[in-house]
Amino acid sequence: MKPDATKENFTYGYLRAYNGELDLGNVNFSSVPQGAFFDCKMTSVTLPDGITSIGENAFGACSNLEHVNSTVANDTLPSQLQSVGMQAFQQCTSLTKIIIPNLQNGEAIGLATAMFYGCTSLCEVEFGDNIKFIPADAFDSCGTVGDGMKIQFGNGLVNIMEKAFIGSKQTGIIDLSQCSELSNIGASAFKNVNNLTTVKLPEKTAGLRIGSEAFACPNEDKAPFLKTMGAGANPQADQIILPEYVTELGSGCFYGNTAVTSVQISSKIAYIGEYTFDGCKSLENVTFTGNQSAVTSIGDCAFRNTLTDASFLQYLTKLKVIGTQHIDESVEKEHNDSKNKGRKIASLELGGQGSVVDDAGQRQNNKKDKLVCGSEVFTNCVRIKNVVLPVSVEEVGSRAFYFDDSTPSNIETITWLSDNTSNAKRTIYSEAFRGNQKMTSLILPVNAKELEIQAYAFCGDKSLTKLSEDGGNILPQSLQSIGWGAFYACSSLKNITI
């Protein structure tokens, strides 16, 4: 159908009733208004290449719409677009292909949140080289179950915004190798993406931030999931290698990713956020690029339930904090009383799902039920045998190396290195090493300005026999305080000298 703009019947109300191929190519108009064709039944639409805007929900819920054409090319948006509204083509469930060409304004689609949300038949997407932004939720839940969605990114891409491809179905490979201006992969951008196995990053870029949960996979039924990531067209197989230009990893970036076995972390990253690799059950090898890592802090649950042996810790010479949760001693007393009627100390859900952060910055599962949580940085990492903490470390958070009876610890020795220069205060927070029943040796730093051991820090370490290099079990002279039950149930420890 080719409407005649000179006729009285050229109204959106009239056109909305049409259920075939709608050709507006010969009509002189500059924009498609908000909701103009919402929930219409046309099978294709051809738009003048000169239109400058498509309004919010303009073609939303057009479930029969298979093709969006311009007068220049099929399956292609008009090239003169200046702006596109939110949800412009959301839930067009028959749409199979879309090309977003070089637009007059390379930022035209930047605010088009959920632009193609729920287009479940979409199997091919192509971006022009001057498209700078892929909007938030743009392809949320898109793609076909069998073939997935093939994406060709443009060279000028700068920002993949939050949740851009969350829950979508892919062909297996996300190729960003030509995107030399890419600076941000937003929070949850590729979270829970089905069939994603490989991400090709640019050979070089000025700097790249990867947001929170960007590649997280909380649902194991989405496997196989990401296993290979690296720079260039042919990254090294079966490894996630974060190039030197990666400057930030958001919290939970890869959590629940059960396929990854090896990770190499950029030396520019100063903070490994909470839940970064939480539940990556196959992750064994963790290394860092360059000669010296910038890591100063490792967040809560960062390596929980992985296969790392934590040997990389000794090389993190700037590391100060391992876990940020600090359980108050009053809670410890309630939790460990003889009748066990106190507040519960809980484990956070995978990736921190459903948790909240209180006014003091402490994360809790449920404030109403008073479920307090530990940091669990290396909890249930059964391949850890010998822990060496660099001299730079100042804090080991509550339950950082905690194990319960359901997953026995294999940690045998803890050695916190000393030197003649560092004199910072050092704190072992409550339950930091609780439940390491095979641990025989604990060597604490002797050069601390102050040393504080909080409640139940080594509770249940029943094989512990050695507390100093000479075997005399002499605690460091810098010790300022020992908390309630710090060495409770360390049944093999015959004597301690303070």
Side-chain angles (χ1 to χ4, degrees):
M1 175 182 180
K2 290 187 176 184
D4 186 347
T6 63
K7 302 294 185 181
E8 293 181 359
N9 63 9
F10 181 67
T11 64
Y12 286 106
Y14 172 77
L15 297 175
R16 285 176 55 82
Y18 190 65
N19 60 6
E21 298 179 359
L22 182 60
D23 186 349
L24 302 176
N26 65 337
V27 180
N28 184 21
F29 66 108
S30 61
S31 65
V32 181
Q34 176 178 340
F37 295 100
F38 181 80
D39 196 23
C40 289
K41 304 303 179 185
M42 79 277 287
T43 58
S44 73
V45 62
T46 299
L47 300 172
D49 196 58
I51 66 169
T52 57
S53 70
I54 297 175
E56 180 179 340
N57 247 322
F59 296 94
C62 291
S63 58
N64 294 334
L65 186 61
E66 298 175 5
H67 303 283
V68 177
N69 309 317
S70 75
T71 48
V72 173
N74 290 336
D75 298 310
T76 303
L77 294 184
S79 65
Q80 301 303 304
L81 282 173
Q82 297 287 329
S83 66
V84 178
M86 296 187 296
Q87 300 177 318
F89 299 94
Q90 59 101 357
Q91 294 185 334
C92 292
T93 53
S94 297
L95 192 66
T96 59
K97 178 181 179 180
I98 195 69
I99 298 172
I100 302 173
N102 287 334
L103 300 179
Q104 187 173 19
N105 177 8
E107 302 178 12
I109 66 171
L111 299 179
T113 302
M115 185 175 179
F116 293 97
Y117 165 77
C119 292
T120 53
S121 297
L122 195 58
C123 58
E124 189 171 349
V125 179
E126 182 178 331
F127 295 93
D129 286 337
N130 80 333
I131 302 301
K132 295 182 178 182
F133 305 115
I134 298 176
D137 294 283
F139 297 92
D140 181 350
S141 304
C142 288
T144 60
V145 174
D147 298 329
M149 186 168 57
K150 181 181 179 181
I151 305 170
Q152 182 175 328
F153 296 93
N155 296 347
L157 181 62
V158 173
N159 189 352
I160 300 173
M161 301 175 79
E162 63 182 36
K163 299 182 181 180
F165 295 94
I166 188 172
S168 62
K169 300 170 181 65
Q170 302 291 333
T171 58
I173 298 175
I174 294 294
D175 189 351
L176 299 166
S177 61
Q178 303 302 312
C179 302
S180 59
E181 298 180 32
L182 185 65
S183 64
N184 183 64
I185 298 175
S188 300
F190 295 96
K191 182 178 179 179
N192 233 17
V193 171
N194 201 35
N195 296 328
L196 179 60
T197 59
T198 302
V199 174
K200 299 179 179 182
L201 296 173
E203 286 283 3
K204 61 181 180 179
T205 186
L208 176 61
R209 176 191 179 276
I210 301 178
S212 301
E213 302 185 8
F215 296 97
C217 185
N219 299 330
E220 292 191 12
D221 60 352
K222 297 291 183 182
F225 200 64
L226 185 61
K227 195 172 185 179
T228 299
M229 175 184 285
N234 298 296
Q236 190 167 341
D238 299 336
Q239 292 194 48
I240 289 180
I241 299 177
L242 301 174
E244 283 291 87
Y245 58 69
V246 177
T247 58
E248 183 179 343
L249 285 181
S251 61
C253 189
F254 296 98
Y255 87 80
N257 191 335
T258 58
V260 60
T261 60
S262 179
V263 170
Q264 186 177 92
I265 300 173
S266 164
S267 66
K268 301 291 180 62
I269 292 172
Y271 175 55
I272 299 176
E274 57 183 7
Y275 310 102
T276 300
F277 300 102
D278 184 21
C280 294
K281 297 178 181 179
S282 301
L283 177 59
E284 290 189 32
N285 301 312
V286 179
T287 58
F288 292 79
T289 61
N291 296 323
Q292 189 176 54
S293 170
V295 171
T296 60
S297 179
I298 301 176
D300 303 329
C301 306
F303 293 95
R304 182 175 60 173
N305 287 315
T306 66
L307 293 177
T308 179
D309 63 4
S311 59
F312 62 87
L313 285 174
Q314 61 188 302
Y315 305 111
L316 302 182
T317 57
K318 296 183 179 181
L319 180 62
K320 293 185 177 182
V321 176
I322 302 174
T324 60
Q325 291 292 308
H326 305 155
I327 301 174
D328 186 80
E329 186 164 310
S330 64
V331 177
E332 288 288 354
K333 288 183 178 180
E334 290 182 55
H335 176 66
N336 290 282
D337 70 7
S338 59
K339 296 181 180 180
N340 197 27
K341 292 183 179 179
R343 288 179 283 184
K344 295 180 179 180
I345 300 176
S347 288
L348 287 164
E349 296 293 326
L350 174 68
Q353 298 177 85
S355 62
V356 295
V357 178
D358 66 17
D359 294 338
Q362 298 295 298
R363 186 178 290 273
Q364 301 182 5
N365 260 7
N366 189 322
K367 293 175 70 176
K368 181 179 180 180
D369 294 336
K370 300 179 180 179
L371 295 181
V372 183
C373 306
S375 60
E376 299 188 353
V377 182
F378 292 98
T379 291
N380 296 340
C381 295
V382 296
R383 290 185 68 247
I384 301 178
K385 289 190 175 182
N386 302 296
V387 177
V388 179
L389 302 181
V391 68
S392 59
V393 172
E394 297 176 2
E395 297 182 6
V396 181
S398 294
R399 292 195 169 190
F401 292 86
Y402 165 80
F403 284 77
D404 60 24
D405 293 337
S406 65
T407 308
S409 167
N410 290 305
I411 294 177
E412 297 175 357
T413 67
I414 303 287
T415 303
W416 196 337
L417 298 177
S418 302
D419 65 12
N420 296 321
T421 58
S422 180
N423 64 352
K425 178 181 177 180
R426 288 173 168 78
T427 305
I428 302 171
Y429 286 95
S430 53
E431 299 196 29
F433 296 96
R434 181 171 185 159
N436 291 286
Q437 298 186 22
K438 295 181 180 180
M439 186 172 73
T440 61
S441 174
L442 168 65
I443 307 300
L444 297 173
V446 298
N447 64 323
K449 182 179 181 180
E450 296 179 17
L451 176 63
E452 179 182 359
I453 301 175
Q454 293 196 355
Y456 298 96
F458 301 98
C459 175
D461 297 346
K462 64 181 183 180
S463 299
L464 183 60
T465 59
K466 180 180 178 181
L467 291 179
S468 57
E469 290 284 6
D470 61 6
N473 291 345
I474 302 173
L475 292 177
Q477 292 183 355
S478 58
L479 181 66
Q480 296 295 304
S481 64
I482 300 180
W484 181 278
F487 291 93
Y488 177 73
C490 294
S491 55
S492 298
L493 195 60
K494 303 302 182 182
N495 60 81
I496 300 178
T497 301
I498 300 176

